[in-house]
Amino acid sequence: AQTIHQWPVAEIKAVGSPLSLGCTIKGKSSPNLYWYWQATGGTLQQLFYSITVGQVESVVQLNLSASRPKDDQFILSTEKLLLSHSGFYLCAWRTANSDYTFGSGTRLLVI
Amino acid sequence: GDKVKQSPSALSLQEGTNSALRCNFSIAATTVQWFLQNPRGSLINLFYLVPGTKENGRLKSTFNSKESYSTLHIRDAQLEDSGTYFCAPSGSWQLIFGSGTQLTVMP
């Protein structure tokens, strides 16, 4: 069975500090991977997607970057956090003709 | 404007009653997913639809690709059905979410 794991579960960070969020998918080879962001009380907005190792496409610019260093790993990061980065970050995977499956998310508060 | 519009934005139901949620979209979607977001934030897959209808217990969903809409019917609502329901049509490399319907089921 496929599993998707996100870390950390929650973070409180200072404005201007760096950030790294991780996502690992087990049990599925070469999945398409996605990062989504949700402001409190808002809808989910796609940030990045990746269809293969080393390749990432940006959908929305939020002063964030993403990388896929391994087939089963997707990283979201920034050198300097802004207050507007606060929210809920979700990682998802899918393969061709399958549904999107989401991780349990990381809640980020920037102060 | 919004590519995916959900209605109503909020809904209160008495336990045991029925309701329908609507999702209209302006993208060329090949599939539609419905999710329930629980208070912890987890997204629970409810349906993954190609054009047509699926049923699962008290839930039933339809995707009409020609008219670009989807519906989610809830029968005999229970307290545990409370949460935010998101519709998300998919085309190309994007799954685009609507703004959600916040459902409260009251005893």
Side-chain angles (χ1 to χ4, degrees):
Chain A
Q2 301 84 23
T3 59
I4 179 168
H5 174 59
Q6 284 190 244
W7 74 92
V9 172
E11 281 260 53
I12 300 176
K13 302 276 279 185
V15 169
S17 64
L19 174 76
S20 182
L21 304 181
C23 173
T24 298
I25 291 83
K26 295 299 183 187
K28 180 58 69 176
S29 174
S30 302
N32 296 336
L33 299 176
Y34 307 84
W35 277 112
Y36 280 80
W37 171 75
Q38 184 180 31
T40 302
T43 189
L44 288 93
Q45 190 171 25
Q46 188 173 352
L47 301 177
F48 298 94
Y49 70 89
S50 170
I51 59 173
T52 191
V53 174
Q55 176 267 336
V56 176
E57 298 294 332
S58 172
V59 177
V60 173
Q61 286 291 338
L62 284 181
N63 294 307
L64 295 167
S65 60
S67 64
R68 186 168 178 178
K70 301 179 186 178
D71 186 50
D72 64 354
Q73 196 173 77
F74 207 18
I75 306 295
L76 185 69
S77 60
T78 183
E79 294 287 322
K80 282 189 174 184
L81 278 166
L82 307 172
L83 287 174
S84 57
H85 285 138
S86 291
F88 193 47
Y89 290 84
L90 287 151
C91 177
W93 73 270
R94 77 177 302 217
T95 57
N97 301 319
S98 79
D99 58 358
Y100 287 71
T101 299
F102 285 80
S104 52
T106 295
R107 210 163 285 282
L108 173 68
L109 177 61
V110 182
I111 57 174
Chain B
D2 293 342
K3 293 180 181 178
V4 183
K5 295 185 180 180
Q6 288 187 244
S7 59
S9 58
L11 181 63
S12 289
L13 291 178
Q14 287 296 128
E15 205 174 3
T17 61
N18 306 330
S19 188
L21 310 182
R22 176 91 177 191
C23 174
N24 292 301
F25 39 91
S26 57
I27 64 168
T30 53
T31 62
V32 171
Q33 278 189 255
W34 282 91
F35 299 90
L36 169 59
Q37 189 168 39
N38 65 22
R40 288 187 60 228
S42 295
L43 283 174
I44 301 164
N45 279 348
L46 296 177
F47 288 103
Y48 173 66
L49 297 159
V50 292
T53 299
K54 281 190 178 178
E55 198 162 348
N56 184 6
R58 297 179 293 102
L59 301 180
K60 180 179 175 181
S61 185
T62 296
F63 168 28
N64 184 320
S65 58
K66 289 182 182 176
E67 296 182 30
S68 296
Y69 75 86
S70 181
T71 56
L72 177 67
H73 293 264
I74 302 172
R75 177 174 53 82
D76 185 24
Q78 302 296 305
L79 297 176
E80 61 265 28
D81 294 334
S82 295
T84 303
Y85 289 79
F86 286 103
C87 160
S90 177
S92 298
W93 298 106
Q94 288 197 52
L95 185 70
I96 302 177
F97 282 77
S99 52
T101 293
Q102 193 164 352
L103 175 66
T104 304
V105 181
M106 299 174 297

